Amino acid sequence: MIFTSSRQYFFTFSYSPFFHQATQTLFFSSNGWPGNGGFDIYRENQTADGEWKSPENLGELLNSAYDDTYYSFHTQSQNAYLVSNRPEANCKNEAP
């Protein structure tokens, strides 16, 4: 289990965590932080001394007014994946 600086929000309003080992980054979906609406995808980076930075919303490139969840990133292919309840496919071909 990973405890972050936003621990109280993570367990109350957040789910679908994904930890990217290569960049020591935790991605998760939350509706407990300011966002575009519904659940948005956020990231938190771990510093060299093991501390966690504040969550960062990944912005409109990935997030919509709907629920955007279960983000994952494949390092080798450089492809990002997510699940959304958007009424139509509406994604760009870039990932943060």
Side-chain angles (χ1 to χ4, degrees):
M1 185 170 288
I2 300 171
F3 293 97
T4 70
S5 61
S6 60
R7 180 175 162 183
Q8 67 189 27
Y9 291 102
F10 185 78
F11 292 108
T12 304
F13 301 106
S14 305
Y15 71 104
S16 70
F18 167 72
F19 185 72
H20 188 250
Q21 184 70 33
T23 60
Q24 296 292 292
T25 303
L26 175 66
F27 295 89
F28 61 94
S29 295
S30 178
N31 66 358
W33 294 90
N36 294 350
F39 280 85
D40 281 0
I41 299 169
Y42 296 82
R43 71 175 162 201
E44 280 192 67
N45 294 326
Q46 190 174 29
T47 63
D49 61 357
E51 296 295 317
W52 290 94
K53 297 181 180 180
S54 294
E56 175 186 358
N57 185 303
L58 294 186
E60 293 180 2
L61 182 63
L62 293 178
N63 292 312
S64 68
Y66 297 90
D67 293 331
D68 303 308
T69 58
Y70 295 101
Y71 176 87
S72 64
F73 181 77
H74 187 259
T75 304
Q76 194 170 27
S77 69
Q78 298 290 299
N79 288 324
Y81 303 92
L82 64 94
V83 174
S84 181
N85 63 348
R86 300 171 195 185
E88 58 188 55
N90 172 355
C91 297
K92 299 180 182 176
N93 294 325
E94 300 176 33

